[in-house]
Amino acid sequence: MSELRRTKIADVLKRDDFGAQVCVKGWVRTKRGSKNVAFIALNDGSIIHNVQVVADREKIDDSILDRIHTGASLSIVGLLTESQGSGQNVEVIADTIEVLGEANPDEYPLQPKKHSLEFLREKAHLRFRTNTFSAVFRIRHAMAFAIHEFFNGKGFKYMHSPIVTGSDAEGAGEMFQVTTLDMKNPPKTKEGEIDYSQDFFGKETNLTVSGQLEGELAALALGEVYTFGPTFRAENSNTSRHLAEFWMIEPEMAFYDIHDNMDLAEEMLKYLVKYALDNCKDDLEFLEKRLLDEEKSKPEKDRSEHALIEKLEFVLVNDFERLTYTEAVEVLRNSKPNKKGKFQYPVEWGIDLQSEHERFLVEKHYKKPVILTDYPRDIKAFYMKQNDDGKTVRAMDVLFPGIGEIIGGSQREESYEKLLARIEEMGIPKKDLWWFLETRKFGTVPHSGYGLGFERMMLFVTGMGNIRDVIPFPRAAKTAEF
Ligand code: 4AD
Ligand code: MG
């Protein structure tokens, strides 16, 4: 074997020094052939496209070719040649083929045909090897990178918030407990309660539902920070938009009011969309085509009006619509679906807006992303800044087409007295939050922040329909196989 260094397929496909010797390695997508030659489509994950390898039976022994099936891994040395019609500019005429690992066609689950996304979810260990999932996960990488690039460019500091915490930031009680106590025989206090003082951390702990509270502590010293980490919610909602483990980006900024907060959110979302358009074109084009094929099988009335890339470009060029919750409720109450009783959940001031309401506002009424502010205080978290009306708080939710809520955030309550009163009113144990309260006691400032659900953003950018298909190994109720 020659010592020729491997070239990635993404790089091979760009070359035009025909006649050069190259070494490519990857996994077989398809093999087809005639009596004299075999054509092997090889993919190494560096790009959505395959390189075509031509294996002449005079040069490559049948004993090797017979071992090559979809899914096998190969190392090939051959001649870079101008392609006659493989759909690419180049192909590789093989001199030698080494089979690194076989894939028995009777057992390998991924055959060169269309598999359903549901089927592939059951094969999450192998689904990376499909075009759809390799495209999704390359885009996921690009979006994570772009997030760091965006905030770094603005001088924000990346803050690692803890995964194990003792507090429930959102106050929704949807936490996974973390304990090393013996579940069969936990130590008890005199009162017969579980004695957490004997637990690993000496107190009751859980997986974080949000890095916000710790982010606030850092922002009140470093000015502008963001977290980007896994968050966990034991909400048993089996929807296409909820996970039990998801990633959240949470910027937190001192001296920002709600308007600065909205400006940042809109700028960030547009930056991410533009980054995808500029850097993930091949993958987006593939996913767009996949979606168009899927649309064709739907009844006409359910088909999307816009293709994926058009949808992304649309977000870039339009200002997001900004209005208050109260105004939105008026729009919804006067809407056709409401008057005709088409909403499953009736609309009145004070309700938590449902997905059907959010999507009506975004997709039917304003036909662009919408930012709603000033929600009723009773449906929002304790830390949000209270408005003078005594009824609403300075919350903001960003609603996206096809998704609904993609961002939730607010200006924060910076008054010690008001925050304490709210904590007591809501029955939140003050002893768990003494450190959070102290930031309001010592040098408090107006500040704001928000949380972007990373997988919801991924749904939007890729056009995928189910959140379980944009995270490598989804965790949801009764789902933690891989
Ligand atoms: O609106 P949420 O609950 O807000 C917070 O957690 C705040 N602490 C954020 C902040 O102000 N720093 O969640 C924020 C976003 C939602 O808008 C949604 O995009 C996403 O996180 N999200 C989920 N994504 C997937 N699965 C779930 N179960 C999610 N719950 C929330
Ligand atoms: Mg929310």
Side-chain angles (χ1 to χ4, degrees), residues 115-300:
H115 292 294
S116 74
L117 297 173
E118 291 76 14
F119 171 81
L120 291 172
R121 239 169 264 151
E122 309 281 305
K123 310 281 177 220
H125 57 309
L126 293 170
R127 67 178 181 171
F128 291 102
R129 295 196 194 175
T130 63
N131 284 333
T132 300
F133 286 96
S134 68
V136 165
F137 293 122
R138 272 188 299 271
I139 295 172
R140 187 174 165 112
H141 158 77
M143 289 295 89
F145 188 81
I147 282 157
H148 288 300
E149 195 177 81
F150 174 76
F151 285 116
N152 184 53
K154 289 188 158 294
F156 280 56
K157 304 295 177 279
Y158 179 30
M159 185 59 46
H160 295 105
S161 47
I163 308 272
V164 176
T165 79
S167 60
D168 176 6
E170 293 305 302
E174 295 164 332
M175 296 168 306
F176 291 100
Q177 197 174 349
V178 175
T179 180
T180 53
L181 292 180
D182 178 3
M183 297 311 280
K184 285 194 217 91
N185 187 22
K188 297 272 174 71
T189 60
K190 276 200 224 89
E191 292 78 32
E193 306 280 334
I194 295 178
D195 184 5
Y196 285 104
S197 71
Q198 295 189 45
D199 203 348
F200 187 90
F201 295 105
K203 61 183 289 194
E204 220 176 323
T205 51
N206 49 271
L207 295 177
T208 185
V209 296
S210 158
Q212 175 193 327
L213 302 191
E214 291 85 358
E216 284 191 45
L217 312 183
L220 293 178
L222 298 174
E224 293 163 321
V225 303
Y226 69 105
T227 72
F228 183 2
T231 43
F232 307 86
R233 294 194 187 174
E235 51 189 333
N236 207 343
S237 38
N238 222 334
T239 80
S240 59
R241 278 184 288 278
H242 288 87
L243 289 165
E245 176 179 299
F246 62 101
W247 288 65
M248 191 156 44
I249 296 99
E250 296 184 273
E252 195 67 39
M253 299 77 62
F255 317 114
Y256 277 49
D257 68 12
I258 189 79
H259 303 287
D260 304 320
N261 206 22
M262 284 192 275
D263 290 345
L264 183 74
E266 182 166 345
E267 187 186 344
M268 178 196 71
L269 290 167
K270 287 179 170 169
Y271 185 94
L272 296 180
V273 168
K274 180 157 181 355
Y275 191 95
L277 287 168
D278 290 348
N279 294 280
C280 309
K281 194 154 165 283
D282 289 352
D283 288 327
L284 287 175
E285 278 171 0
F286 173 83
L287 291 173
E288 170 166 287
K289 194 172 161 299
R290 186 193 157 274
L291 277 171
L292 290 173
D293 289 345
E294 209 173 64
E295 292 283 306
K296 279 185 205 143
S297 62
K298 287 188 194 163
E300 197 132 5

Side-chain angles (χ1 to χ4, degrees), residues 79-129:
L79 220 57
L80 193 68
T81 313
E82 192 160 11
S83 176
Q84 311 298 322
S86 67
Q88 303 296 342
N89 295 329
V90 307
E91 58 191 26
V92 175
I93 314 280
D95 287 322
T96 60
I97 298 182
E98 185 191 346
V99 179
L100 300 173
E102 290 183 34
N104 182 341
D106 297 330
E107 290 175 33
Y108 187 59
L110 305 182
Q111 292 307 315
K113 62 163 199 178
K114 205 168 152 47
H115 292 294
S116 74
L117 297 173
E118 291 76 14
F119 171 81
L120 291 172
R121 239 169 264 151
E122 309 281 305
K123 310 281 177 220
H125 57 309
L126 293 170
R127 67 178 181 171
F128 291 102
R129 295 196 194 175

